Amino acid sequence: MADTPKLTVVLGASPHPDRYSYLAVTRLRAHGHPVLAIGQRDGNIGDTPITAAHPQAEGVDTVTLYLNPLRQQEYYDYILSLKPKRIIFNPGTENPELIQLAEANGIKAQPACTLVMLSTGQY
């Protein structure tokens, strides 16, 4: 369980169990973190709904990305509007443009793997 639950937005969430975003949602929840899952279409990961909308949320600690850099572009304004403390760029999602935007807005840009961070207690 998490020492302090961190509201996490999983961007690129998929209802397919073979996807890393699916594993991230299930493991974040197992560690006690509340999750807002956003994907291409509505669905579910267990009892966590996936929405294709861009809902506003207060108190977002982390946005963790599971979208390639080209797909991230349509979410730039949305991500920044959430005012997260950090954005985790999982392997394959590294994006110099979004990293620069994040840092210019006082958001920590962290190239890392959410799943590894959870398993090693670094989340």
Side-chain angles (χ1 to χ4, degrees), residues 5 7 25-26 29 37 39 43 45-46 48 62 69 72 81 86 89 98 103 106 113 116 123:
L7 176 56
V25 169
T26 58
R29 293 287 309 275
I45 298 174
T48 302
T62 303
Q72 293 169 21
S81 77
R86 66 178 170 179
F89 291 84
L98 184 52
E103 291 174 346
C113 176
V116 171
Y123 193 83

Side-chain angles (χ1 to χ4, degrees), residues 1-2 5 7 11-12 18 21-22 28 30 38 42 44-45 54 61 65-67 79-81 86 96 103 105 109 112:
M1 292 297 281
L7 176 56
L11 196 51
D18 60 332
S21 62
Y22 181 100
L28 283 161
I38 300 173
D42 293 346
N44 288 291
I45 298 174
H54 300 156
D61 181 85
L65 298 173
Y66 289 93
L67 293 171
I79 293 168
L80 296 176
S81 77
R86 66 178 170 179
E103 291 174 346
N105 282 276

Side-chain angles (χ1 to χ4, degrees), residues 1-17:
M1 292 297 281
D3 289 341
T4 304
K6 296 177 176 82
L7 176 56
T8 302
V9 174
V10 176
L11 196 51
S14 170
H16 300 289

